[in-house]
Amino acid sequence: MSHLSYWLVKQGHIIWVASIINIGLGVVIPGFDFFSKSISHVALESPIFAYTHRVADIVIGLSMCGFSIGVYQITQSRFSAAALSSFLLGISMISAGIWTLETPLHLLYNLSIFMIIVPMAFALEFKNTIKSSVFENFSVAVTVLHVFMFWLIYAGFIPQELNGLIQRLWAIPTMGWFGVAAHMLILHQFSHYKKV
């Protein structure tokens, strides 16, 4: 196990930290409808808010890509669905920071749908390393939440006036899961680095 792998996994905590900025940024924008407008709408606001949001998206995406490389380096298999899906989700977040909602390149034509696979694939791949039924159940619950939310979106069941609030609430377990996963993997895979 390399020192680099440890740091690539550990930096996964950047994902949830930077996400706090993106989730809450709409609250401080004058006249911004936090309840109806999505997180991505912040990129259409005045430059100080727009660029803060876009940089945060890129940082989150780069951190997801770094996390996925760390995961791949320590996986027992030549192919890692957890690493691949995390990397693709990271690419979609980077694209969300580069392009706004006005183009399909924002989230790269809904590449973010790979978020569905990330928690379940990770829990399965590291089942024998982490050995935590609580973490497995949490990962399955997050996967089910993603499927349920995409169904609500595509079925048109989310009221427009609450779209932004619901997306922000959904982002909490989505991005928070990475922090939990990084913590669990460090705890069980890198115990010898605990004091680093």
Side-chain angles (χ1 to χ4, degrees), residues 9 67-68 70-72 74-75 80-83 85-86 116-130 135-136 139 143 177-178 180-186:
V9 170
F67 178 80
S68 72
V71 165
Y72 181 71
I74 60 175
T75 190
S80 170
S85 55
S86 296
I116 293 171
I117 300 170
V118 175
M120 183 90 71
F122 185 92
L124 284 171
E125 286 179 29
F126 292 98
K127 182 180 182 72
N128 295 326
T129 301
I130 295 176
F135 176 71
E136 286 176 28
S139 296
T143 292
W177 177 88
F178 281 93
V180 174
H183 171 74
M184 294 300 285
L185 197 51
I186 287 165

PDB file of all heavy atoms in Angstrom, residues 9 67-68 70-72 74-75 80-83 85-86 116-130 135-136 139 143 177-178 180-186:
ATOM      1  N   VAL A   9      -6.967   8.742  -1.089  1.00  0.00           N
ATOM      2  CA  VAL A   9      -8.220   8.382  -0.407  1.00  0.00           C
ATOM      3  C   VAL A   9      -8.571   9.455   0.623  1.00  0.00           C
ATOM      4  O   VAL A   9      -9.711   9.931   0.684  1.00  0.00           O
ATOM      5  CB  VAL A   9      -8.115   6.992   0.253  1.00  0.00           C
ATOM      6  CG1 VAL A   9      -9.319   6.723   1.157  1.00  0.00           C
ATOM      7  CG2 VAL A   9      -8.007   5.902  -0.818  1.00  0.00           C
ATOM      8  N   PHE A  67      -9.810  10.519  -5.542  1.00  0.00           N
ATOM      9  CA  PHE A  67     -10.328   9.442  -4.693  1.00  0.00           C
ATOM     10  C   PHE A  67     -10.442   8.148  -5.500  1.00  0.00           C
ATOM     11  O   PHE A  67     -10.046   7.075  -5.042  1.00  0.00           O
ATOM     12  CB  PHE A  67     -11.691   9.853  -4.132  1.00  0.00           C
ATOM     13  CG  PHE A  67     -12.361   8.809  -3.269  1.00  0.00           C
ATOM     14  CD1 PHE A  67     -11.979   8.636  -1.947  1.00  0.00           C
ATOM     15  CD2 PHE A  67     -13.380   8.021  -3.783  1.00  0.00           C
ATOM     16  CE1 PHE A  67     -12.603   7.689  -1.148  1.00  0.00           C
ATOM     17  CE2 PHE A  67     -14.004   7.072  -2.994  1.00  0.00           C
ATOM     18  CZ  PHE A  67     -13.614   6.906  -1.676  1.00  0.00           C
ATOM     19  N   SER A  68     -10.950   8.259  -6.724  1.00  0.00           N
ATOM     20  CA  SER A  68     -11.134   7.065  -7.566  1.00  0.00           C
ATOM     21  C   SER A  68      -9.789   6.417  -7.914  1.00  0.00           C
ATOM     22  O   SER A  68      -9.684   5.185  -7.945  1.00  0.00           O
ATOM     23  CB  SER A  68     -11.903   7.414  -8.842  1.00  0.00           C
ATOM     24  OG  SER A  68     -11.095   8.162  -9.729  1.00  0.00           O
ATOM     25  N   GLY A  70      -7.076   6.555  -6.022  1.00  0.00           N
ATOM     26  CA  GLY A  70      -6.658   5.903  -4.780  1.00  0.00           C
ATOM     27  C   GLY A  70      -7.370   4.585  -4.569  1.00  0.00           C
ATOM     28  O   GLY A  70      -6.761   3.576  -4.186  1.00  0.00           O
ATOM     29  N   VAL A  71      -8.675   4.572  -4.843  1.00  0.00           N
ATOM     30  CA  VAL A  71      -9.472   3.344  -4.724  1.00  0.00           C
ATOM     31  C   VAL A  71      -8.956   2.288  -5.695  1.00  0.00           C
ATOM     32  O   VAL A  71      -8.778   1.119  -5.325  1.00  0.00           O
ATOM     33  CB  VAL A  71     -10.972   3.647  -4.981  1.00  0.00           C
ATOM     34  CG1 VAL A  71     -11.766   2.366  -5.223  1.00  0.00           C
ATOM     35  CG2 VAL A  71     -11.556   4.423  -3.810  1.00  0.00           C
ATOM     36  N   TYR A  72      -8.681   2.700  -6.924  1.00  0.00           N
ATOM     37  CA  TYR A  72      -8.200   1.738  -7.923  1.00  0.00           C
ATOM     38  C   TYR A  72      -6.849   1.141  -7.517  1.00  0.00           C
ATOM     39  O   TYR A  72      -6.604  -0.044  -7.715  1.00  0.00           O
ATOM     40  CB  TYR A  72      -8.083   2.396  -9.298  1.00  0.00           C
ATOM     41  CG  TYR A  72      -7.621   1.421 -10.357  1.00  0.00           C
ATOM     42  CD1 TYR A  72      -8.471   0.418 -10.812  1.00  0.00           C
ATOM     43  CD2 TYR A  72      -6.326   1.482 -10.856  1.00  0.00           C
ATOM     44  CE1 TYR A  72      -8.049  -0.499 -11.759  1.00  0.00           C
ATOM     45  CE2 TYR A  72      -5.901   0.571 -11.805  1.00  0.00           C
ATOM     46  CZ  TYR A  72      -6.762  -0.421 -12.255  1.00  0.00           C
ATOM     47  OH  TYR A  72      -6.332  -1.338 -13.181  1.00  0.00           O
ATOM     48  N   ILE A  74      -5.737   0.421  -4.647  1.00  0.00           N
ATOM     49  CA  ILE A  74      -5.784  -0.565  -3.557  1.00  0.00           C
ATOM     50  C   ILE A  74      -6.806  -1.675  -3.770  1.00  0.00           C
ATOM     51  O   ILE A  74      -6.916  -2.571  -2.941  1.00  0.00           O
ATOM     52  CB  ILE A  74      -6.042   0.118  -2.192  1.00  0.00           C
ATOM     53  CG1 ILE A  74      -7.371   0.872  -2.199  1.00  0.00           C
ATOM     54  CG2 ILE A  74      -4.900   1.040  -1.839  1.00  0.00           C
ATOM     55  CD1 ILE A  74      -7.734   1.456  -0.866  1.00  0.00           C
ATOM     56  N   THR A  75      -7.535  -1.615  -4.876  1.00  0.00           N
ATOM     57  CA  THR A  75      -8.531  -2.659  -5.122  1.00  0.00           C
ATOM     58  C   THR A  75      -7.838  -3.983  -5.429  1.00  0.00           C
ATOM     59  O   THR A  75      -6.705  -4.019  -5.906  1.00  0.00           O
ATOM     60  CB  THR A  75      -9.488  -2.264  -6.275  1.00  0.00           C
ATOM     61  OG1 THR A  75     -10.563  -3.184  -6.330  1.00  0.00           O
ATOM     62  CG2 THR A  75      -8.767  -2.249  -7.615  1.00  0.00           C
ATOM     63  N   SER A  80     -12.307  -1.971 -11.451  1.00  0.00           N
ATOM     64  CA  SER A  80     -13.015  -1.493 -10.266  1.00  0.00           C
ATOM     65  C   SER A  80     -14.190  -0.619 -10.687  1.00  0.00           C
ATOM     66  O   SER A  80     -14.000   0.495 -11.183  1.00  0.00           O
ATOM     67  CB  SER A  80     -12.066  -0.692  -9.368  1.00  0.00           C
ATOM     68  OG  SER A  80     -12.796  -0.033  -8.347  1.00  0.00           O
ATOM     69  N   ALA A  81     -15.395  -1.134 -10.487  1.00  0.00           N
ATOM     70  CA  ALA A  81     -16.602  -0.354 -10.798  1.00  0.00           C
ATOM     71  C   ALA A  81     -16.684   0.872  -9.898  1.00  0.00           C
ATOM     72  O   ALA A  81     -17.145   1.936 -10.312  1.00  0.00           O
ATOM     73  CB  ALA A  81     -17.852  -1.221 -10.646  1.00  0.00           C
ATOM     74  N   ALA A  82     -16.210   0.730  -8.667  1.00  0.00           N
ATOM     75  CA  ALA A  82     -16.236   1.863  -7.728  1.00  0.00           C
ATOM     76  C   ALA A  82     -15.312   2.977  -8.217  1.00  0.00           C
ATOM     77  O   ALA A  82     -15.680   4.150  -8.207  1.00  0.00           O
ATOM     78  CB  ALA A  82     -15.826   1.401  -6.332  1.00  0.00           C
ATOM     79  N   ALA A  83     -14.115   2.596  -8.644  1.00  0.00           N
ATOM     80  CA  ALA A  83     -13.158   3.598  -9.134  1.00  0.00           C
ATOM     81  C   ALA A  83     -13.658   4.244 -10.420  1.00  0.00           C
ATOM     82  O   ALA A  83     -13.612   5.472 -10.564  1.00  0.00           O
ATOM     83  CB  ALA A  83     -11.790   2.956  -9.359  1.00  0.00           C
ATOM     84  N   SER A  85     -16.791   4.474 -11.669  1.00  0.00           N
ATOM     85  CA  SER A  85     -17.985   5.311 -11.483  1.00  0.00           C
ATOM     86  C   SER A  85     -17.653   6.589 -10.716  1.00  0.00           C
ATOM     87  O   SER A  85     -18.183   7.661 -11.024  1.00  0.00           O
ATOM     88  CB  SER A  85     -19.107   4.525 -10.796  1.00  0.00           C
ATOM     89  OG  SER A  85     -18.677   3.958  -9.578  1.00  0.00           O
ATOM     90  N   SER A  86     -16.747   6.505  -9.737  1.00  0.00           N
ATOM     91  CA  SER A  86     -16.312   7.714  -9.014  1.00  0.00           C
ATOM     92  C   SER A  86     -15.589   8.678  -9.947  1.00  0.00           C
ATOM     93  O   SER A  86     -15.784   9.893  -9.881  1.00  0.00           O
ATOM     94  CB  SER A  86     -15.369   7.346  -7.863  1.00  0.00           C
ATOM     95  OG  SER A  86     -16.021   6.574  -6.895  1.00  0.00           O
ATOM     96  N   ILE A 116     -25.271   6.750  -8.966  1.00  0.00           N
ATOM     97  CA  ILE A 116     -26.079   5.620  -8.496  1.00  0.00           C
ATOM     98  C   ILE A 116     -25.188   4.428  -8.147  1.00  0.00           C
ATOM     99  O   ILE A 116     -25.395   3.746  -7.146  1.00  0.00           O
ATOM    100  CB  ILE A 116     -27.129   5.204  -9.563  1.00  0.00           C
ATOM    101  CG1 ILE A 116     -28.171   6.315  -9.744  1.00  0.00           C
ATOM    102  CG2 ILE A 116     -27.799   3.889  -9.194  1.00  0.00           C
ATOM    103  CD1 ILE A 116     -29.108   6.101 -10.918  1.00  0.00           C
ATOM    104  N   ILE A 117     -24.185   4.184  -8.961  1.00  0.00           N
ATOM    105  CA  ILE A 117     -23.350   2.992  -8.819  1.00  0.00           C
ATOM    106  C   ILE A 117     -22.299   3.127  -7.720  1.00  0.00           C
ATOM    107  O   ILE A 117     -21.951   2.144  -7.063  1.00  0.00           O
ATOM    108  CB  ILE A 117     -22.639   2.683 -10.164  1.00  0.00           C
ATOM    109  CG1 ILE A 117     -23.672   2.445 -11.259  1.00  0.00           C
ATOM    110  CG2 ILE A 117     -21.693   1.499 -10.045  1.00  0.00           C
ATOM    111  CD1 ILE A 117     -23.080   2.382 -12.642  1.00  0.00           C
ATOM    112  N   VAL A 118     -21.804   4.328  -7.497  1.00  0.00           N
ATOM    113  CA  VAL A 118     -20.644   4.537  -6.619  1.00  0.00           C
ATOM    114  C   VAL A 118     -20.782   3.877  -5.243  1.00  0.00           C
ATOM    115  O   VAL A 118     -19.938   3.053  -4.878  1.00  0.00           O
ATOM    116  CB  VAL A 118     -20.307   6.042  -6.477  1.00  0.00           C
ATOM    117  CG1 VAL A 118     -19.186   6.260  -5.477  1.00  0.00           C
ATOM    118  CG2 VAL A 118     -19.942   6.650  -7.826  1.00  0.00           C
ATOM    119  N   PRO A 119     -21.812   4.193  -4.433  1.00  0.00           N
ATOM    120  CA  PRO A 119     -21.841   3.646  -3.064  1.00  0.00           C
ATOM    121  C   PRO A 119     -21.942   2.119  -3.022  1.00  0.00           C
ATOM    122  O   PRO A 119     -21.245   1.471  -2.244  1.00  0.00           O
ATOM    123  CB  PRO A 119     -23.074   4.297  -2.431  1.00  0.00           C
ATOM    124  CG  PRO A 119     -23.440   5.421  -3.322  1.00  0.00           C
ATOM    125  CD  PRO A 119     -22.948   5.086  -4.688  1.00  0.00           C
ATOM    126  N   MET A 120     -22.816   1.547  -3.859  1.00  0.00           N
ATOM    127  CA  MET A 120     -23.014   0.098  -3.855  1.00  0.00           C
ATOM    128  C   MET A 120     -21.757  -0.624  -4.333  1.00  0.00           C
ATOM    129  O   MET A 120     -21.324  -1.607  -3.718  1.00  0.00           O
ATOM    130  CB  MET A 120     -24.193  -0.274  -4.756  1.00  0.00           C
ATOM    131  CG  MET A 120     -24.523  -1.738  -4.766  1.00  0.00           C
ATOM    132  SD  MET A 120     -25.713  -2.219  -3.526  1.00  0.00           S
ATOM    133  CE  MET A 120     -27.201  -1.514  -4.154  1.00  0.00           C
ATOM    134  N   ALA A 121     -21.155  -0.142  -5.411  1.00  0.00           N
ATOM    135  CA  ALA A 121     -19.944  -0.776  -5.936  1.00  0.00           C
ATOM    136  C   ALA A 121     -18.818  -0.707  -4.914  1.00  0.00           C
ATOM    137  O   ALA A 121     -18.090  -1.690  -4.707  1.00  0.00           O
ATOM    138  CB  ALA A 121     -19.527  -0.108  -7.249  1.00  0.00           C
ATOM    139  N   PHE A 122     -18.671   0.427  -4.263  1.00  0.00           N
ATOM    140  CA  PHE A 122     -17.620   0.593  -3.262  1.00  0.00           C
ATOM    141  C   PHE A 122     -17.833  -0.370  -2.090  1.00  0.00           C
ATOM    142  O   PHE A 122     -16.895  -1.039  -1.651  1.00  0.00           O
ATOM    143  CB  PHE A 122     -17.606   2.040  -2.764  1.00  0.00           C
ATOM    144  CG  PHE A 122     -16.492   2.353  -1.809  1.00  0.00           C
ATOM    145  CD1 PHE A 122     -15.286   2.846  -2.280  1.00  0.00           C
ATOM    146  CD2 PHE A 122     -16.645   2.164  -0.445  1.00  0.00           C
ATOM    147  CE1 PHE A 122     -14.247   3.142  -1.405  1.00  0.00           C
ATOM    148  CE2 PHE A 122     -15.618   2.450   0.437  1.00  0.00           C
ATOM    149  CZ  PHE A 122     -14.409   2.946  -0.044  1.00  0.00           C
ATOM    150  N   ALA A 123     -19.072  -0.431  -1.592  1.00  0.00           N
ATOM    151  CA  ALA A 123     -19.377  -1.322  -0.457  1.00  0.00           C
ATOM    152  C   ALA A 123     -19.093  -2.780  -0.815  1.00  0.00           C
ATOM    153  O   ALA A 123     -18.558  -3.533   0.010  1.00  0.00           O
ATOM    154  CB  ALA A 123     -20.823  -1.144  -0.020  1.00  0.00           C
ATOM    155  N   LEU A 124     -19.426  -3.181  -2.036  1.00  0.00           N
ATOM    156  CA  LEU A 124     -19.164  -4.562  -2.464  1.00  0.00           C
ATOM    157  C   LEU A 124     -17.673  -4.838  -2.617  1.00  0.00           C
ATOM    158  O   LEU A 124     -17.177  -5.875  -2.167  1.00  0.00           O
ATOM    159  CB  LEU A 124     -19.874  -4.843  -3.794  1.00  0.00           C
ATOM    160  CG  LEU A 124     -21.380  -5.065  -3.721  1.00  0.00           C
ATOM    161  CD1 LEU A 124     -21.982  -5.106  -5.127  1.00  0.00           C
ATOM    162  CD2 LEU A 124     -21.702  -6.350  -2.976  1.00  0.00           C
ATOM    163  N   GLU A 125     -16.963  -3.919  -3.246  1.00  0.00           N
ATOM    164  CA  GLU A 125     -15.535  -4.125  -3.486  1.00  0.00           C
ATOM    165  C   GLU A 125     -14.707  -4.146  -2.205  1.00  0.00           C
ATOM    166  O   GLU A 125     -13.694  -4.840  -2.132  1.00  0.00           O
ATOM    167  CB  GLU A 125     -14.997  -3.060  -4.443  1.00  0.00           C
ATOM    168  CG  GLU A 125     -15.446  -3.291  -5.864  1.00  0.00           C
ATOM    169  CD  GLU A 125     -14.942  -2.230  -6.840  1.00  0.00           C
ATOM    170  OE1 GLU A 125     -13.863  -1.648  -6.594  1.00  0.00           O
ATOM    171  OE2 GLU A 125     -15.633  -1.997  -7.837  1.00  0.00           O
ATOM    172  N   PHE A 126     -15.142  -3.402  -1.199  1.00  0.00           N
ATOM    173  CA  PHE A 126     -14.366  -3.333   0.036  1.00  0.00           C
ATOM    174  C   PHE A 126     -15.067  -4.018   1.220  1.00  0.00           C
ATOM    175  O   PHE A 126     -14.760  -3.744   2.371  1.00  0.00           O
ATOM    176  CB  PHE A 126     -14.012  -1.876   0.350  1.00  0.00           C
ATOM    177  CG  PHE A 126     -13.048  -1.300  -0.643  1.00  0.00           C
ATOM    178  CD1 PHE A 126     -13.499  -0.517  -1.697  1.00  0.00           C
ATOM    179  CD2 PHE A 126     -11.694  -1.595  -0.569  1.00  0.00           C
ATOM    180  CE1 PHE A 126     -12.611  -0.013  -2.636  1.00  0.00           C
ATOM    181  CE2 PHE A 126     -10.799  -1.094  -1.502  1.00  0.00           C
ATOM    182  CZ  PHE A 126     -11.250  -0.302  -2.541  1.00  0.00           C
ATOM    183  N   LYS A 127     -15.975  -4.914   0.887  1.00  0.00           N
ATOM    184  CA  LYS A 127     -16.726  -5.661   1.898  1.00  0.00           C
ATOM    185  C   LYS A 127     -15.794  -6.404   2.861  1.00  0.00           C
ATOM    186  O   LYS A 127     -15.998  -6.391   4.071  1.00  0.00           O
ATOM    187  CB  LYS A 127     -17.660  -6.644   1.197  1.00  0.00           C
ATOM    188  CG  LYS A 127     -18.549  -7.456   2.112  1.00  0.00           C
ATOM    189  CD  LYS A 127     -19.435  -8.384   1.304  1.00  0.00           C
ATOM    190  CE  LYS A 127     -20.375  -9.172   2.170  1.00  0.00           C
ATOM    191  NZ  LYS A 127     -21.453  -8.359   2.718  1.00  0.00           N
ATOM    192  N   ASN A 128     -14.766  -7.042   2.314  1.00  0.00           N
ATOM    193  CA  ASN A 128     -13.853  -7.828   3.142  1.00  0.00           C
ATOM    194  C   ASN A 128     -12.760  -6.994   3.802  1.00  0.00           C
ATOM    195  O   ASN A 128     -12.018  -7.501   4.641  1.00  0.00           O
ATOM    196  CB  ASN A 128     -13.212  -8.948   2.310  1.00  0.00           C
ATOM    197  CG  ASN A 128     -14.245  -9.960   1.846  1.00  0.00           C
ATOM    198  OD1 ASN A 128     -15.207 -10.230   2.543  1.00  0.00           O
ATOM    199  ND2 ASN A 128     -14.059 -10.489   0.648  1.00  0.00           N
ATOM    200  N   THR A 129     -12.661  -5.737   3.418  1.00  0.00           N
ATOM    201  CA  THR A 129     -11.680  -4.836   4.027  1.00  0.00           C
ATOM    202  C   THR A 129     -12.319  -4.044   5.161  1.00  0.00           C
ATOM    203  O   THR A 129     -11.799  -4.002   6.277  1.00  0.00           O
ATOM    204  CB  THR A 129     -11.118  -3.850   2.971  1.00  0.00           C
ATOM    205  OG1 THR A 129     -10.519  -4.598   1.915  1.00  0.00           O
ATOM    206  CG2 THR A 129     -10.097  -2.910   3.575  1.00  0.00           C
ATOM    207  N   ILE A 130     -13.462  -3.437   4.875  1.00  0.00           N
ATOM    208  CA  ILE A 130     -14.121  -2.571   5.855  1.00  0.00           C
ATOM    209  C   ILE A 130     -14.894  -3.389   6.891  1.00  0.00           C
ATOM    210  O   ILE A 130     -14.907  -3.057   8.069  1.00  0.00           O
ATOM    211  CB  ILE A 130     -15.017  -1.536   5.144  1.00  0.00           C
ATOM    212  CG1 ILE A 130     -14.123  -0.597   4.315  1.00  0.00           C
ATOM    213  CG2 ILE A 130     -15.859  -0.748   6.135  1.00  0.00           C
ATOM    214  CD1 ILE A 130     -14.851   0.422   3.478  1.00  0.00           C
ATOM    215  N   PHE A 135     -21.921   0.369   7.516  1.00  0.00           N
ATOM    216  CA  PHE A 135     -21.466   1.084   6.327  1.00  0.00           C
ATOM    217  C   PHE A 135     -22.113   0.509   5.065  1.00  0.00           C
ATOM    218  O   PHE A 135     -22.522   1.260   4.180  1.00  0.00           O
ATOM    219  CB  PHE A 135     -19.941   1.034   6.205  1.00  0.00           C
ATOM    220  CG  PHE A 135     -19.435   1.670   4.938  1.00  0.00           C
ATOM    221  CD1 PHE A 135     -19.487   3.046   4.775  1.00  0.00           C
ATOM    222  CD2 PHE A 135     -18.957   0.899   3.893  1.00  0.00           C
ATOM    223  CE1 PHE A 135     -19.048   3.648   3.596  1.00  0.00           C
ATOM    224  CE2 PHE A 135     -18.506   1.484   2.715  1.00  0.00           C
ATOM    225  CZ  PHE A 135     -18.553   2.863   2.566  1.00  0.00           C
ATOM    226  N   GLU A 136     -22.200  -0.819   4.986  1.00  0.00           N
ATOM    227  CA  GLU A 136     -22.848  -1.453   3.823  1.00  0.00           C
ATOM    228  C   GLU A 136     -24.294  -0.996   3.703  1.00  0.00           C
ATOM    229  O   GLU A 136     -24.752  -0.639   2.615  1.00  0.00           O
ATOM    230  CB  GLU A 136     -22.799  -2.972   3.942  1.00  0.00           C
ATOM    231  CG  GLU A 136     -21.436  -3.560   3.676  1.00  0.00           C
ATOM    232  CD  GLU A 136     -21.407  -5.060   3.898  1.00  0.00           C
ATOM    233  OE1 GLU A 136     -22.460  -5.713   3.738  1.00  0.00           O
ATOM    234  OE2 GLU A 136     -20.335  -5.573   4.236  1.00  0.00           O
ATOM    235  N   SER A 139     -24.452   2.554   2.519  1.00  0.00           N
ATOM    236  CA  SER A 139     -24.134   2.645   1.088  1.00  0.00           C
ATOM    237  C   SER A 139     -25.314   2.191   0.232  1.00  0.00           C
ATOM    238  O   SER A 139     -25.635   2.822  -0.779  1.00  0.00           O
ATOM    239  CB  SER A 139     -22.888   1.804   0.768  1.00  0.00           C
ATOM    240  OG  SER A 139     -21.761   2.327   1.427  1.00  0.00           O
ATOM    241  N   THR A 143     -27.559   4.446  -2.413  1.00  0.00           N
ATOM    242  CA  THR A 143     -27.842   3.991  -3.781  1.00  0.00           C
ATOM    243  C   THR A 143     -29.341   4.002  -4.053  1.00  0.00           C
ATOM    244  O   THR A 143     -29.787   4.493  -5.097  1.00  0.00           O
ATOM    245  CB  THR A 143     -27.267   2.572  -4.009  1.00  0.00           C
ATOM    246  OG1 THR A 143     -25.841   2.658  -3.985  1.00  0.00           O
ATOM    247  CG2 THR A 143     -27.703   2.006  -5.343  1.00  0.00           C
ATOM    248  N   TRP A 177     -21.418  10.905   1.717  1.00  0.00           N
ATOM    249  CA  TRP A 177     -21.020   9.499   1.608  1.00  0.00           C
ATOM    250  C   TRP A 177     -19.517   9.381   1.327  1.00  0.00           C
ATOM    251  O   TRP A 177     -18.850   8.495   1.879  1.00  0.00           O
ATOM    252  CB  TRP A 177     -21.814   8.795   0.488  1.00  0.00           C
ATOM    253  CG  TRP A 177     -21.360   7.380   0.324  1.00  0.00           C
ATOM    254  CD1 TRP A 177     -21.823   6.280   0.984  1.00  0.00           C
ATOM    255  CD2 TRP A 177     -20.303   6.920  -0.528  1.00  0.00           C
ATOM    256  NE1 TRP A 177     -21.120   5.166   0.603  1.00  0.00           N
ATOM    257  CE2 TRP A 177     -20.181   5.530  -0.327  1.00  0.00           C
ATOM    258  CE3 TRP A 177     -19.450   7.537  -1.434  1.00  0.00           C
ATOM    259  CZ2 TRP A 177     -19.242   4.748  -1.004  1.00  0.00           C
ATOM    260  CZ3 TRP A 177     -18.511   6.780  -2.104  1.00  0.00           C
ATOM    261  CH2 TRP A 177     -18.411   5.406  -1.891  1.00  0.00           C
ATOM    262  N   PHE A 178     -18.968  10.259   0.507  1.00  0.00           N
ATOM    263  CA  PHE A 178     -17.540  10.195   0.186  1.00  0.00           C
ATOM    264  C   PHE A 178     -16.678  10.378   1.438  1.00  0.00           C
ATOM    265  O   PHE A 178     -15.653   9.716   1.590  1.00  0.00           O
ATOM    266  CB  PHE A 178     -17.176  11.239  -0.877  1.00  0.00           C
ATOM    267  CG  PHE A 178     -17.552  10.828  -2.267  1.00  0.00           C
ATOM    268  CD1 PHE A 178     -18.773  11.203  -2.806  1.00  0.00           C
ATOM    269  CD2 PHE A 178     -16.694  10.058  -3.032  1.00  0.00           C
ATOM    270  CE1 PHE A 178     -19.135  10.822  -4.097  1.00  0.00           C
ATOM    271  CE2 PHE A 178     -17.043   9.666  -4.322  1.00  0.00           C
ATOM    272  CZ  PHE A 178     -18.269  10.045  -4.851  1.00  0.00           C
ATOM    273  N   VAL A 180     -17.564   9.612   4.523  1.00  0.00           N
ATOM    274  CA  VAL A 180     -17.707   8.385   5.315  1.00  0.00           C
ATOM    275  C   VAL A 180     -16.872   7.267   4.696  1.00  0.00           C
ATOM    276  O   VAL A 180     -16.160   6.541   5.396  1.00  0.00           O
ATOM    277  CB  VAL A 180     -19.189   7.970   5.432  1.00  0.00           C
ATOM    278  CG1 VAL A 180     -19.328   6.624   6.138  1.00  0.00           C
ATOM    279  CG2 VAL A 180     -20.001   9.033   6.159  1.00  0.00           C
ATOM    280  N   ALA A 181     -16.945   7.132   3.368  1.00  0.00           N
ATOM    281  CA  ALA A 181     -16.194   6.074   2.674  1.00  0.00           C
ATOM    282  C   ALA A 181     -14.691   6.270   2.846  1.00  0.00           C
ATOM    283  O   ALA A 181     -13.961   5.310   3.120  1.00  0.00           O
ATOM    284  CB  ALA A 181     -16.564   6.070   1.194  1.00  0.00           C
ATOM    285  N   ALA A 182     -14.217   7.500   2.722  1.00  0.00           N
ATOM    286  CA  ALA A 182     -12.789   7.779   2.904  1.00  0.00           C
ATOM    287  C   ALA A 182     -12.368   7.436   4.328  1.00  0.00           C
ATOM    288  O   ALA A 182     -11.329   6.802   4.550  1.00  0.00           O
ATOM    289  CB  ALA A 182     -12.493   9.250   2.593  1.00  0.00           C
ATOM    290  N   HIS A 183     -13.177   7.832   5.295  1.00  0.00           N
ATOM    291  CA  HIS A 183     -12.879   7.542   6.701  1.00  0.00           C
ATOM    292  C   HIS A 183     -12.817   6.031   6.957  1.00  0.00           C
ATOM    293  O   HIS A 183     -11.872   5.544   7.596  1.00  0.00           O
ATOM    294  CB  HIS A 183     -13.932   8.192   7.605  1.00  0.00           C
ATOM    295  CG  HIS A 183     -13.827   7.777   9.028  1.00  0.00           C
ATOM    296  ND1 HIS A 183     -12.820   8.239   9.862  1.00  0.00           N
ATOM    297  CD2 HIS A 183     -14.568   6.913   9.772  1.00  0.00           C
ATOM    298  CE1 HIS A 183     -12.966   7.682  11.055  1.00  0.00           C
ATOM    299  NE2 HIS A 183     -14.013   6.885  11.028  1.00  0.00           N
ATOM    300  N   MET A 184     -13.805   5.306   6.455  1.00  0.00           N
ATOM    301  CA  MET A 184     -13.858   3.860   6.689  1.00  0.00           C
ATOM    302  C   MET A 184     -12.683   3.142   6.027  1.00  0.00           C
ATOM    303  O   MET A 184     -12.103   2.217   6.603  1.00  0.00           O
ATOM    304  CB  MET A 184     -15.190   3.291   6.175  1.00  0.00           C
ATOM    305  CG  MET A 184     -16.404   3.771   6.944  1.00  0.00           C
ATOM    306  SD  MET A 184     -16.376   3.334   8.699  1.00  0.00           S
ATOM    307  CE  MET A 184     -16.760   1.590   8.622  1.00  0.00           C
ATOM    308  N   LEU A 185     -12.334   3.563   4.826  1.00  0.00           N
ATOM    309  CA  LEU A 185     -11.230   2.917   4.119  1.00  0.00           C
ATOM    310  C   LEU A 185      -9.894   3.206   4.809  1.00  0.00           C
ATOM    311  O   LEU A 185      -9.056   2.312   4.972  1.00  0.00           O
ATOM    312  CB  LEU A 185     -11.198   3.379   2.663  1.00  0.00           C
ATOM    313  CG  LEU A 185     -10.381   2.519   1.692  1.00  0.00           C
ATOM    314  CD1 LEU A 185     -10.756   1.048   1.783  1.00  0.00           C
ATOM    315  CD2 LEU A 185     -10.567   3.026   0.271  1.00  0.00           C
ATOM    316  N   ILE A 186      -9.712   4.429   5.259  1.00  0.00           N
ATOM    317  CA  ILE A 186      -8.482   4.777   5.984  1.00  0.00           C
ATOM    318  C   ILE A 186      -8.402   3.991   7.291  1.00  0.00           C
ATOM    319  O   ILE A 186      -7.353   3.456   7.653  1.00  0.00           O
ATOM    320  CB  ILE A 186      -8.419   6.302   6.248  1.00  0.00           C
ATOM    321  CG1 ILE A 186      -8.118   7.033   4.939  1.00  0.00           C
ATOM    322  CG2 ILE A 186      -7.374   6.638   7.298  1.00  0.00           C
ATOM    323  CD1 ILE A 186      -8.373   8.512   4.981  1.00  0.00           C
TER     324      ILE A 186
END
